[in-house]
Amino acid sequence: MSAALQIPPGYYLVPEELYLKFFKKMEWQDIIEPTVEDISQYLGIGTDKIKKDIKKLSCPLRKTKEGGKGRGNQIRFIKETVEAYRIWIINN
């Protein structure tokens, strides 16, 4: 009783690592004000590192909306500062 998994025509089975690396980044274009989680997925770094770096004066990430208590109140950032942050990480 071995049933083979059939993938429909036009679809491909890819590893999760490739999906996160390529397809998830495509969604970055649709994001207007990224959260810490969005930046973490886009740059491939941990959220803890981002949260620690935000506290440093030389960090180029700039907030548009301060987070608060609760799930709906997340810190939001200016999207253009994320590329500057990526370069800042490389140099530090």
Side-chain angles (χ1 to χ4, degrees), residues 58-75:
S58 61
C59 179
L61 275 178
R62 296 294 174 248
K63 301 175 189 176
T64 58
K65 181 179 175 185
E66 189 68 37
K69 292 184 179 179
R71 290 181 164 234
N73 298 325
Q74 296 181 353
I75 300 172

Side-chain angles (χ1 to χ4, degrees), residues 7-13:
I7 300 173
Y11 291 89
Y12 296 97
L13 186 64

Side-chain angles (χ1 to χ4, degrees), residues 32-34 61-64 76-82:
I32 297 170
E33 290 183 330
L61 275 178
R62 296 294 174 248
K63 301 175 189 176
T64 58
R76 304 255 177 207
F77 297 93
I78 299 172
K79 188 173 182 178
E80 290 76 20
T81 63
V82 176

Side-chain angles (χ1 to χ4, degrees), residues 11-60:
Y11 291 89
Y12 296 97
L13 186 64
V14 297
E16 183 179 7
E17 180 181 333
L18 287 176
Y19 169 76
L20 293 175
K21 185 173 183 179
F22 295 107
F23 298 110
K24 203 66 166 167
K25 285 189 179 182
M26 288 181 178
E27 296 174 8
W28 178 254
Q29 298 167 353
D30 301 331
I31 297 172
I32 297 170
E33 290 183 330
T35 61
V36 172
E37 186 64 34
D38 295 333
I39 296 171
S40 173
Q41 288 179 353
Y42 179 67
L43 298 178
I45 60 174
T47 57
D48 289 339
K49 176 165 177 41
I50 296 170
K51 290 176 183 178
K52 287 178 185 175
D53 287 345
I54 292 169
K55 296 176 184 177
K56 297 179 183 175
L57 293 176
S58 61
C59 179

